Amino acid sequence: MSARDSVLGKIRASMGSPASDANRRKAVMNRLEEAPRGIIPGRAQLPEAEQVELFCTMAEQFGATLARVSDYGDVAAEVSGYLRAHNLPAAIRMGADMRLQTAGWETEKNLEVRDGPSDGGDLAGVSHATAGIAETGTVAMMSGQDNPTTINFLPEHHIIVIKAADIKGDMESVWSMVREKQGKGEMPRALNLITGPSRSGDIEQTILLGAHGPRALHVIVVD
């Protein structure tokens, strides 16, 4: 036995760890499958319809603008309307998310849809959220080619589409949803939690929008 094995053996013995690798792996898997949940506040335990309303209220409270549409076919028209209202070019950057691909873009003849990650030259980007957190108005954005992370941070205007059914009361429920959706060993490289547009108050406690990301966040809830 090497000195390393001897030291590790003493550590395992003092901790009461199982000796075999198979037993240790089983212990780890049991711990992951039975992950404890924290205390969930009462405001996060509302009926589903009220969770959606709370999400909308909190998103606006933290500086986002918000629109609700009945189905995905109305998303393109809402995006075009947002661009016109803010005097922006009729162009967006978007990933490969299939829900966004079928969001009625063919009805907006003057809108240019650019595919793939942003290189920093886009004024507006559109992403689809994985989930929403009602108690804080936060959107959870899973990384990957469907919704490139660069679109979350580089365009000045970020438009996020979210399905009402994916809005959960609390962050713990969102993590459970991601684990169930992705499965063990298939978690995304990153999961960004975004609450309102980018802001900073580092200099003289004056709030500055767009310091580390988009200066405007527009959320479209698909009922």
Side-chain angles (χ1 to χ4, degrees):
M1 178 181 291
S2 67
R4 177 179 179 275
D5 292 334
S6 177
V7 170
L8 292 178
K10 290 179 180 179
I11 293 174
R12 292 191 191 99
S14 66
M15 296 177 63
S17 299
S20 71
D21 287 341
N23 287 338
R24 285 198 298 275
R25 290 194 183 97
K26 182 178 180 181
V28 170
M29 291 304 298
N30 289 339
R31 177 66 176 82
L32 291 173
E33 290 173 0
E34 299 172 6
R37 291 171 60 86
I39 298 174
I40 307 301
R43 64 186 277 117
Q45 301 182 47
L46 300 170
E48 290 185 8
E50 294 181 33
Q51 287 182 7
V52 175
E53 293 295 338
L54 177 60
F55 170 83
C56 295
T57 299
M58 297 303 297
E60 291 181 314
Q61 180 173 316
F62 283 106
T65 55
L66 193 131
R68 298 183 70 167
V69 298
S70 59
D71 57 51
Y72 281 98
D74 300 325
V75 168
E78 173 59 32
V79 170
S80 292
Y82 176 87
L83 297 177
R84 288 192 298 270
H86 291 79
N87 199 28
L88 293 169
I92 58 168
R93 175 68 63 175
M94 190 173 72
D97 193 292
M98 287 304 299
R99 295 163 294 187
L100 293 181
Q101 295 293 328
T102 58
W105 307 108
E106 67 281 357
T107 64
E108 302 299 314
K109 303 299 183 184
N110 297 322
L111 181 62
E112 179 186 357
V113 179
R114 303 166 182 166
D115 297 322
S118 176
D119 60 2
D122 306 292
L123 287 178
V126 178
S127 302
H128 199 293
T130 299
I133 303 172
E135 62 174 323
T136 55
T138 300
V139 288
M141 310 294 299
M142 193 183 298
S143 64
Q145 64 180 1
D146 286 351
N147 294 284
T149 300
T150 52
I151 299 178
N152 296 348
F153 298 106
L154 297 183
E156 288 196 7
H157 294 257
H158 191 197
I159 302 171
I160 297 179
V161 180
I162 182 169
K163 189 176 180 181
D166 291 334
I167 295 174
K168 307 300 179 183
D170 53 88
M171 182 169 63
E172 288 81 358
S173 296
V174 169
W175 281 115
S176 296
M177 174 183 172
V178 171
R179 292 189 187 100
E180 182 179 349
K181 181 177 181 181
Q182 295 299 107
K184 301 297 182 183
E186 298 294 334
M187 294 291 280
R189 188 178 181 89
L191 185 76
N192 293 295
L193 301 177
I194 299 173
T195 307
S198 171
R199 62 174 70 81
S200 174
D202 294 342
I203 301 175
E204 298 182 353
Q205 296 184 348
T206 300
I207 297 299
L208 175 67
L209 294 178
H212 310 293
R215 65 176 62 252
L217 178 69
H218 185 58
V219 180
I220 302 174
V221 179
V222 181
D223 289 323

